[in-house]
Amino acid sequence: MRIVTRRRFGWPDLLFGGFLIVVAAGTLVATRNLVGGTAADMGPGYMPRAIALMLLAFGVFFAVRGVLRGPVGIETVQLRPILGVGAAVGVFALLIESGGLALASFAAILIAAVASRESRFFEVILFGLGVTAAAVLLFVKALALPVSIWPW
């Protein structure tokens, strides 16, 4: 007597791996005409291809894990984190030019804190001030990017 078993996959890993593979393949196709160069003399296509190859490796890893792993349930979608982080990114994008880096960073951190029920107001304020100061020091002072710090 032959026993037939139905193969089930770990769909979250399999789908995530497939997504990463598609993104990596799209990036490799989009950068096919750019000069790659070498690590010592990087061309415009070097970093996008390097990142795409890393994404491809992670995608293959997750896809294989999804095929080999048994079924894993997909948790219900939580809207609060999705909306909180999405709103934070949107506010940052809207404020970066008109409000400056400091205001945009601080506002994005405050809004992103809404995504977690565990956020504490005082800790979020301190964290926001620290990350904002680090962003200003890194992007404006260390890298000398032409980004305004304040709206004035």
Side-chain angles (χ1 to χ4, degrees):
M1 181 172 165
R2 186 173 176 205
I3 298 175
V4 178
T5 60
R6 228 173 123 200
R7 177 74 178 142
R8 294 181 184 238
F9 302 111
W11 286 107
D13 286 340
L14 186 60
L15 294 174
F16 181 62
F19 170 74
L20 291 180
I21 291 169
V22 168
V23 169
T27 303
L28 291 172
V29 168
T31 60
R32 70 184 178 278
N33 294 328
L34 296 177
V35 176
T38 63
D41 184 27
M42 294 182 194
Y46 187 86
M47 282 308 293
R49 285 192 199 125
I51 293 170
L53 290 174
M54 285 187 274
L55 277 179
L56 182 64
F58 279 116
V60 168
F61 168 77
F62 279 108
V64 168
R65 189 168 90 167
V67 169
L68 297 178
R69 183 187 268 191
V72 178
I74 299 175
E75 293 185 26
T76 59
V77 175
Q78 302 292 322
L79 287 179
R80 184 178 182 145
I82 293 171
L83 295 175
V85 173
V89 171
V91 165
F92 183 85
L94 292 172
L95 282 179
I96 189 67
E97 286 188 31
S98 62
L101 179 62
L103 183 63
S105 297
F106 192 69
I109 290 169
L110 289 180
I111 293 169
V114 173
S116 172
R117 294 180 194 271
E118 299 171 5
S119 296
R120 294 190 180 106
F121 182 74
F122 185 69
E123 292 174 355
V124 171
I125 296 295
L126 288 178
F127 180 73
L129 291 173
V131 169
T132 298
V136 169
L137 289 173
L138 175 66
F139 295 113
V140 177
K141 302 299 180 189
L143 296 176
L145 294 178
V147 177
S148 63
I149 300 172
W150 301 106
W152 49 86

